[in-house]
């Protein structure tokens, strides 16, 4: 697994070097472009603040009510068969529907277990290698008025299952 | 979809707390979480703005065009029945590159355009099928991406290309999970970047599974 930590260390510097070098070769005013993009990023982050407040509060309510612990206890048995920690199951299920709600649950795991714990690492990878299956499908198919989606769902779920298995294996 | 989910989380939390005598803790939890969301956003402002800044530098320098040229062989492999030079290929590659770079806002418009162009392609196939008749196609007069013996799907039905495109799209293509790095940093990770390598490996696995599935299904 040496090459994986190698990637972790060198991928970002490499991308930064490549993009900056590429833009300089194209004779772009790089810093002006950068500021334009950074300004857009500020707006994006501020834009997601209401979503984040709403969802983190909802997860906070679930956590404090004791529901999340009860759910984890309930899922312990079936989840252990698949070698998935019980807290991860709600993240997986919610992930299929909403990315930001899954983030709310993920941050709860970060808070209780820490991001460097085995569970923390697992959900970090999991959320990075999966997409909101149902949301994406409904948006894309709605645009062309397609209702019979044939094997799209099965394929998307197969890919997601592959991602989940890899997350378990790699953490 | 978020409307139902959010209401469900709030209501079940409150009802559960009422039955277990945790209502005071719930109020406290709600207040604390709302504050935490603001702290998280503030600390994410730096890294996220830096990243969108860098990506904008790349985008304006024509990085997307350069990368999508490199994607061409992969697209011919994934979509052998889309004729070369068809506009759908361009939109698909822009969508994929935007997803690889984590430019969600640039990915969706291109993706929706790709879906429309795929629908037009399927419409052309339907017309060609009508005109030529099944027998001509069986004899191998393959045009407009029509293959001998392969008939177009009916209206309202996803074409093979649409299925493949969406499965690959949903399999996640992101190269660097910048959000996740920011979250991990905020929650005191010793090494927030440690997720980069495993995430890329896991993304490769999910995408390969997706592609394999598509190849098997569209061959049947």
């Amino acid at each position: 697994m040496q090459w994986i930590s190698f990637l972790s260390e060198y991928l970002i510097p490499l991308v930064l070097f490549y993009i900056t070098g590429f833009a300089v070769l194209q004779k772009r005013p790089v810093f002006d472009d950068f500021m334009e993009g950074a300004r857009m990023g500020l707006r994006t982050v501020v834009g997601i603040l209401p979503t984040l407040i709403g969802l983190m509060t909802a997860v906070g309510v679930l956590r404090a009510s004791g529901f999340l612990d009860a759910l984890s206890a309930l899922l312990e048995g079936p989840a252990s068969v698949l070698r998935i920690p019980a807290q991860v199951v709600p993240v997986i299920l919610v992930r299929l529907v909403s990315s930001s709600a899954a983030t709310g649950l993920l941050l709860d795991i970060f808070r209780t277990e820490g991001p460097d714990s085995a569970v923390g690492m697992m959900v970090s990878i999991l959320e990075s290698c999966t997409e909101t299956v149902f949301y994406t499908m409904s948006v894309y198919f709605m645009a062309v008025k397609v209702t019979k989606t044939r094997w799209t769902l099965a394929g998307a779920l197969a890919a997601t299952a592959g991602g989940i298995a890899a997350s378990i294996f790699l953490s | 979809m978020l409307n139902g989910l959010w209401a469900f989380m709030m209501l079940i939390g409150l009802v559960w707390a009422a039955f277990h005598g945790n209502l005071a803790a719930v109020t406290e939890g709600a207040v604390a979480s709302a504050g935490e969301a603001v702290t998280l956003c503030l600390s994410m402002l730096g890294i996220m703005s830096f990243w969108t800044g860098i990506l904008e530098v790349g985008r304006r320098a024509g990085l997307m065009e350069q990368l999508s040229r490199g994607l061409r062989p992969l697209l011919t492999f994934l979509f052998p029945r889309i004729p070369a030079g068809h506009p759908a290929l361009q939109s698909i590659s822009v969508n994929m590159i935007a997803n690889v770079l984590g430019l969600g806002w640039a990915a969706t418009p291109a993706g929706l355009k790709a879906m429309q162009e795929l629908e037009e392609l399927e419409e052309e196939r339907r017309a060609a099928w009508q005109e030529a008749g099944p027998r001509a196609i069986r004899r191998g007069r393959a045009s407009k991406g029509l293959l001998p013996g392969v008939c177009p799907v009916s209206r309202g039905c996803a074409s093979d290309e649409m299925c493949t495109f969406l499965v690959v799209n949903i399999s996640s293509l992101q190269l660097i999970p910048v959000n996740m790095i920011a979250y991990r940093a905020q929650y005191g990770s010793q090494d927030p970047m440690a997720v980069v390598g495993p995430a890329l490996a896991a993304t490769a696995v999910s995408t390969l599974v997706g592609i394999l599935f598509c190849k098997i299904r569209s061959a049947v």
Side-chain angles (χ1 to χ4, degrees):
Chain A
M1 295 296 176
Q2 196 66 47
W3 60 277
I4 288 186
S5 55
F6 182 82
L7 268 181
S8 298
E9 207 168 326
Y10 291 104
L11 187 61
I12 294 178
L14 209 73
V15 169
L16 294 182
F17 181 81
Y18 183 80
I19 292 182
T20 314
F22 181 74
V24 167
L25 287 181
Q26 303 290 319
K27 300 195 174 58
R28 293 289 312 171
V30 280
F31 196 64
D32 295 340
D33 290 350
F34 173 84
M35 287 197 300
E36 202 53 49
R39 201 167 293 134
M40 220 152 52
L42 282 182
R43 244 176 284 142
T44 314
V45 175
V46 174
I48 61 164
L49 185 55
T51 319
L52 214 53
I53 292 178
L55 288 164
M56 284 181 74
T57 309
V59 173
V61 166
L62 276 185
R63 153 73 47 209
S65 72
F67 178 78
L68 279 184
D69 289 327
L71 188 67
S72 292
L74 189 73
L75 293 169
E76 196 87 63
S80 67
V81 177
L82 298 167
R83 294 190 38 217
I84 305 174
Q87 309 105 294
V88 179
V89 178
V91 182
I92 294 175
L93 295 178
V94 170
R95 181 73 178 118
L96 300 176
V97 183
S98 156
S99 169
S100 34
T103 302
L105 291 169
L106 166 126
L107 294 177
D108 184 64
I109 292 180
F110 279 6
R111 194 185 313 116
T112 50
E113 308 276 337
D116 294 328
S117 64
V119 188
M121 197 61 197
M122 191 182 293
V123 287
S124 300
I125 305 172
L126 187 83
E127 179 144 328
S128 307
C129 74
T130 49
E131 281 279 344
T132 43
V133 175
F134 292 101
Y135 173 78
T136 311
M137 274 183 64
S138 65
V139 169
Y140 277 62
F141 277 130
M142 210 127 67
V144 285
K145 300 193 183 69
V146 163
T147 47
K148 293 199 187 67
T149 61
R150 296 173 63 211
W151 40 271
T152 311
L153 182 61
L157 290 178
T160 305
I164 294 170
S167 315
I168 296 171
F169 181 71
L170 289 165
S171 60
Chain B
M1 219 172 290
L2 212 44
N3 290 318
L5 192 64
W6 190 74
F8 173 79
M9 293 204 292
M10 289 300 275
L11 294 177
I12 206 153
L14 291 168
V15 171
W16 191 273
F19 275 102
H20 292 80
N22 289 336
L23 275 176
V26 160
T27 317
E28 215 171 287
V31 172
S33 304
E36 209 178 308
V38 177
T39 324
L40 177 67
C41 258
L42 277 180
S43 60
M44 274 173 65
L45 276 176
I47 183 169
M48 291 308 290
S49 302
F50 171 71
W51 191 249
T52 50
I54 280 289
L55 290 180
E56 186 68 10
V57 170
R59 199 183 64 85
R60 293 194 178 193
L63 188 70
M64 305 252 283
E65 288 78 4
Q66 196 221 22
L67 291 178
S68 62
R69 265 195 298 277
L71 211 58
R72 215 163 279 166
L74 178 68
L75 290 190
T76 346
F77 169 74
L78 282 177
F79 306 103
R81 288 171 58 221
I82 300 182
H86 193 278
L89 288 174
Q90 177 64 24
S91 304
I92 290 175
S93 59
V94 170
N95 171 273
M96 285 185 174
I97 293 298
N99 272 324
V100 168
L101 296 174
L103 289 163
W105 53 270
T108 310
L112 297 182
K113 194 153 160 272
M115 290 298 275
Q116 268 143 18
E117 282 152 358
L118 289 177
E119 177 62 23
E120 276 159 32
L121 176 65
E122 200 63 19
E123 193 60 40
E124 284 165 24
R125 286 176 184 161
R126 284 176 205 127
W129 175 261
Q130 282 268 302
E131 194 186 311
R135 215 179 311 146
I137 291 156
R138 216 175 299 134
R139 279 205 303 268
R141 269 176 47 195
S143 63
K144 304 259 185 224
L146 280 174
L147 279 188
V150 179
C151 58
V153 297
S154 55
R155 260 188 215 108
C157 206
S159 67
D160 281 9
E161 283 84 2
M162 290 182 192
C163 295
T164 303
F165 172 52
L166 271 184
V167 169
V168 172
N169 186 310
I170 291 173
S171 78
S172 170
L173 302 163
Q174 196 178 25
L175 187 65
I176 299 173
V178 184
N179 284 343
M180 194 53 63
I181 295 171
Y183 296 146
R184 290 170 57 80
Q186 171 65 12
Y187 282 85
S189 168
Q190 293 298 309
D191 186 5
M193 312 290 174
V195 70
V196 175
L200 187 58
T203 299
V205 170
S206 68
T207 303
L208 284 178
V209 171
I211 290 177
L212 196 67
F213 187 96
C214 291
K215 278 288 156 195
I216 293 170
R217 283 310 307 263
S218 48
V220 179

